[in-house]
Amino acid sequence: MFKPVRAVLTAALLTIATFAVAAQMRGDHPDTYVVQRGDTLWDIAARFLERPWLWPEVWQANPQIANPHLIYPGDVISLAYLNRVAVEPGPREEAPVTGVPLSEIEGFLKHLRVVDGFEHLPYVVALEENRLRGSSGQVAYIEGLADAQPGQRYAVVRPTQRYTRLDVTECCDVMRASDLDFRGRRSLDFDSMWSDVAVPDNGRELLGYELHQLTTGTISRGEVGGVEASTLVIDDAGREVRVGDRLVPVEAQPYDLRFFPHPPKQTFEYGRAQVLAVTDGMSYGGPRDVVALSVGARDGVDNGTVFSSWRVGSNVVDRVEVGTERSGYTVSDASRVRLPDEFAGHLMVFRTFDKVSYALVMEGIRPVRVGHELKHPDAPY
C-alpha cells in the first residue's frame, strides 16, 4: 500500500524540482539554438538560463549520442519536455565547444602549473660560453639529471609565485602571493620586504609554488662518469633561460577542457576560499581576466566550478558614537560596525591543482580584486 504514496511523493518532488529549474529560465530564451564556432558552454547556458551554472540540472542526456557531455558546432540545442535542454547532433566535423574561451586561458593551460615544491628538480647550472641568458639553438648545462638519456625532452620552468594562506586567527591579509627570485626564493624588494620577507612564516600554510614554463629542450648528452653536467639543447623559441631555472619532463596535455559550469560541491568556512592573484600582476580584474584561487582539488574544486566573488566588508569606526577626534587605533571592536560584503562577479574554474586553482572572470558588476571572498554563485546580493 506504500507504492501509491511513494509514487505521489516522487511526482511531487519532480514537479517541485521542475518548477525551480523553470523559474531560472530566461524570459527571452530561444526555443532552439544552433551551436556556432567560438561558442562556449557558458555562452550557450546563458542563452537559456538566468544562472548558467544550473546547466547540468536542465541538461538532458540523449541516448543516441555517445558522449552527451560534448557539444559541437552545428548541434541544435532545444527546450524539451519539462523545460529540459536536449541536443540534436549536427555534422560534428569540428572540435567540441569548451567551457571558457581557449584564447583567454591557453597560456595558463600550457605554461603554468602549481606544485608543492621545486627544490628537488634539476636546474640550469650554466650556459654555453658563460652567457647570462640562453635562447633557441643554444646549450644549457643541467645539474641533477643523473639518468638523463640523449633524446629525452624537458620543459624549462621558473618559480615565479609563492602562494600562502595565513592562520585565520591572524589579522590583516589572509592570503598572499610573493614574487620569487631566480632561485625560487622570495625577493627582497620594496613590494614584499616589509610584509613577506621580514617576518617568518608563523602559522602560514604553503599552498604551492607557481612554475612558469619558459621553453623546451632536448638532452644531447647525459652526465659523464657521474661528474659532468648533462647537456640540454634549447629547441623552442620561448623565453630566455638563465641559471637557476628548473626542468620537468615534457607532458603531452595535462589538462582537461571538457566540463560543465556547476556550483561548488561544498560550502567553505569564511576566509578559506579567496582570490589569491590576478593575471598580469594587477590587483584587480574584470570579465575574461584570469585569477588564482586559494582552493583546489583537495577542497572538491574541479573544472567548471562556479564561484561568486565578494569584496570583504570592513570594520569601520562608528564616528557617531565615538566622535571624530579619536584615532581609529584606540577604538575597541564594540565601537565598530561590520559592513556587509559586496558582490563583484562570477568566476569559473578551468584548471585545478591540489591547493590552488585558476579561474576566469565570466561576468561582474565591479572589479574582482585580490582578497575577495569566494561564495556559492547563488549567494544573495
Side-chain angles (χ1 to χ4, degrees):
M1 65 176 177
F2 294 103
K3 290 183 180 180
V5 176
R6 185 180 303 165
V8 171
L9 180 61
T10 302
L13 291 175
L14 179 60
T15 302
I16 294 173
T18 301
F19 177 79
V21 171
Q24 306 302 329
M25 290 288 179
R26 291 176 57 98
D28 59 348
H29 66 76
D31 291 332
T32 60
Y33 175 72
V34 180
V35 179
Q36 306 295 317
R37 178 187 301 177
D39 279 346
T40 66
L41 290 178
W42 183 277
D43 297 331
I44 297 171
R47 290 180 178 274
F48 291 91
L49 301 173
E50 294 285 354
R51 297 184 171 117
W53 52 90
L54 293 179
W55 184 255
E57 298 183 28
V58 300
W59 175 256
Q60 176 175 301
N62 293 61
Q64 71 271 23
I65 300 176
N67 189 342
H69 297 289
L70 299 183
I71 301 175
Y72 294 77
D75 287 355
V76 180
I77 308 295
S78 62
L79 284 179
Y81 180 63
L82 293 177
N83 286 317
R84 308 291 285 183
V85 176
V87 60
E88 179 182 340
R92 307 211 160 190
E93 298 173 349
E94 302 182 50
V97 302
T98 58
V100 293
L102 277 181
S103 59
E104 307 291 343
I105 65 172
E106 188 173 14
F108 294 86
L109 294 172
K110 292 183 176 180
H111 301 142
L112 290 178
R113 70 191 74 190
V114 178
V115 297
D116 291 334
F118 63 88
E119 293 85 354
H120 63 287
L121 297 175
Y123 57 89
V124 177
V125 70
L127 297 165
E128 67 170 295
E129 299 181 357
N130 294 320
R131 297 175 185 268
L132 296 178
R133 299 288 188 272
S135 57
S136 181
Q138 296 175 348
V139 167
Y141 300 104
I142 312 302
E143 176 67 16
L145 277 179
D147 299 325
Q149 299 296 321
Q152 290 180 331
R153 303 198 70 243
Y154 286 87
V156 183
V157 299
R158 180 176 300 162
T160 55
Q161 291 284 337
R162 179 180 186 272
Y163 294 125
T164 57
R165 184 200 340 265
L166 296 184
D167 189 304
V168 295
T169 60
E170 297 189 36
C171 68
C172 311
D173 294 339
V174 177
M175 307 295 176
R176 187 171 304 284
S178 308
D179 293 329
L180 302 176
D181 67 10
F182 77 98
R183 298 167 298 175
R185 299 179 182 176
R186 284 172 287 178
S187 303
L188 285 169
D189 57 28
F190 290 104
D191 290 332
S192 59
M193 66 180 299
W194 297 112
S195 59
D196 230 46
V197 180
V199 296
D201 286 348
N202 292 334
R204 292 188 182 176
E205 178 191 11
L206 176 64
L207 297 178
Y209 295 93
E210 187 176 78
L211 303 182
H212 187 170
Q213 179 172 320
L214 308 173
T215 186
T216 58
T218 302
I219 296 294
S220 63
R221 180 177 56 191
E223 290 187 2
V224 178
V227 178
E228 296 183 3
S230 301
T231 302
L232 180 83
V233 179
I234 304 169
D235 57 18
D236 182 56
R239 297 180 61 182
E240 290 183 323
V241 175
R242 65 188 183 192
V243 171
D245 289 337
R246 305 281 172 159
L247 269 68
V248 296
V250 170
E251 298 178 281
Q253 189 177 357
Y255 49 83
D256 181 18
L257 298 175
R258 297 177 295 180
F259 52 87
F260 279 172
H262 59 273
K265 299 175 182 177
Q266 63 176 326
T267 301
F268 299 101
E269 64 271 23
Y270 198 87
R272 180 174 180 82
Q274 292 187 342
V275 176
L276 277 174
V278 179
T279 185
D280 295 331
M282 302 294 289
S283 60
Y284 59 88
R288 297 304 186 259
D289 281 333
V290 175
V291 296
L293 311 182
S294 65
V295 286
R298 70 166 183 178
D299 306 294
V301 175
D302 57 358
N303 283 357
T305 299
V306 179
F307 290 103
S308 56
S309 180
W310 295 71
R311 184 183 67 194
V312 177
S314 56
N315 291 314
V316 299
V317 176
D318 186 347
R319 292 297 178 184
V320 175
E321 177 183 337
V322 304
T324 59
E325 297 80 11
R326 290 180 58 183
S327 168
Y329 296 105
T330 66
V331 177
S332 66
D333 291 342
S335 297
R336 294 178 178 271
V337 177
R338 173 69 156 82
L339 302 183
D341 294 350
E342 294 291 347
F343 170 77
H346 287 111
L347 324 170
M348 184 161 66
V349 173
F350 63 84
R351 193 174 188 194
T352 58
F353 305 94
D354 187 34
K355 304 173 187 175
V356 175
S357 57
Y358 294 147
L360 191 69
V361 180
M362 305 305 297
E363 60 186 17
I365 61 175
R366 56 174 56 90
V368 171
R369 293 181 177 270
V370 172
H372 271 196
E373 185 75 11
L374 302 177
K375 302 181 181 181
H376 192 285
D378 286 330
Y381 57 89

